[in-house]
Amino acid sequence: MTRHFWTGRRLAWGLGTLWVLSVLIALGSLRFLVAEISLVMPAMVHHLLAHPVVLYLHIGLAPVALGLLPVQFSHRLRGRRPGLHRWGGRLYALCVLMSGLASLWLAYTTAEGVVAGLGFALLAVVWLATTAMAVIAALQRRFARHRAWMIRSAALTLAAVTLRLYLPIGMTTVGFEASYPVIAWICWVPNLLAAEWLLRREAHDAVPAG
Ligand code: HEM
């Protein structure tokens, strides 16, 4: 029998760390609610001047989706309050839809170049698509499928966390200009591969040894 690294206590600690980071980054991203955008998000000023509604839709709703992840993936809460899980799911899907569409426009109009723009645009498309698949599966009451698509969607929402972990590394090594186009891709492609690996590992372990 294969012994995996990410099981039991390690998995619980890993997930716990991810959820704490999600909530902290979600709260930090809402800093525009308490201070001038030009002061707290200076790089977003060109978006603010050109399309404020699009910018606010993204920075207002994407953090809500991120902050909802620990709630939606809580096994205990889902068992005890299934109604809360359903309403949380509707809110998550709505936030992804609105902020995902907005992020497509932000990606198209980013001042950081075509490679970064393409990375974010593709992320937006895959984020919208995986979340739509999760919603469709839930409506069809195919819950194993719903869970698998939600794991993929969550891995992409967590790009907001990985991006903010990689940024300081990029800035202190090769600098912002050189690292940002790379980070626009590596903030989500490895996350999606990790989700796929987890799902395949589960499917493999579920097959009885013959
Ligand atoms: C997963 C799909 C996402 C895509 C495709 C996406 C895309 C973008 C793009 C293109 C920008 C403008 C970047 C620029 O022009 O330099 C941006 C900014 C921003 N996004 Fe997202 N984003 C996503 C998810 C999230 C999530 C889940 C959060 C939650 C925290 C978030 C929070 C923000 C914030 C706060 C900014 C303003 C920049 C800053 O941090 O100062 N985004 N996003």
Side-chain angles (χ1 to χ4, degrees):
M1 194 180 131
T2 333
R3 278 186 63 81
H4 298 298
F5 182 80
W6 289 110
T7 45
R9 235 175 223 215
R10 283 201 198 100
L11 184 63
W13 272 98
L15 273 179
T17 310
L18 265 187
W19 298 152
V20 169
L21 285 174
S22 301
V23 172
L24 289 178
I25 287 176
L27 290 174
S29 296
L30 292 171
R31 62 195 181 279
F32 70 92
L33 293 175
V34 291
E36 272 290 307
I37 278 202
S38 52
L39 293 176
V40 290
M41 295 180 181
M44 295 299 109
V45 168
H46 72 285
H47 288 307
L48 180 69
L49 295 176
H51 33 251
V53 176
V54 173
L55 178 67
Y56 280 118
L57 274 178
H58 184 69
I59 61 176
L61 297 180
V64 178
L66 182 64
L68 274 172
L69 286 183
V71 182
Q72 290 305 98
F73 277 92
S74 162
H75 188 64
R76 198 182 297 175
L77 214 68
R78 220 165 43 235
R80 285 191 189 161
R81 307 282 304 271
L84 194 69
H85 179 77
R86 279 196 291 274
W87 277 107
R90 286 178 190 123
L91 182 60
Y92 176 85
L94 187 72
C95 289
V96 172
L97 176 66
M98 305 299 283
S99 70
L101 289 175
S103 68
L104 266 178
W105 194 249
L106 295 181
Y108 182 59
T109 54
T110 183
E112 309 307 335
V114 181
V115 177
L118 272 176
F120 287 131
L122 197 58
L123 165 61
V125 170
V126 188
W127 197 36
L128 288 163
T130 51
T131 311
M133 293 301 286
V135 171
I136 292 168
L139 292 174
Q140 294 172 334
R141 308 187 66 77
R142 296 165 76 183
F143 295 117
R145 208 176 144 82
H146 167 64
R147 178 176 171 274
W149 281 110
M150 265 313 299
I151 287 176
R152 294 182 182 108
S153 169
L156 296 168
T157 309
L158 286 168
V161 173
T162 38
L163 179 132
R164 284 162 184 84
L165 293 178
Y166 301 153
L167 258 184
I169 301 174
M171 283 164 75
T172 50
T173 52
V174 290
F176 177 81
E177 299 265 298
S179 62
Y180 199 69
V182 180
I183 292 174
W185 291 88
I186 61 166
C187 70
W188 65 274
V189 176
N191 295 14
L192 194 55
L193 292 175
E196 216 52 56
W197 172 80
L198 259 177
L199 291 168
R200 269 157 210 254
R201 192 187 81 168
E202 269 186 13
H204 178 266
D205 288 356
V207 176

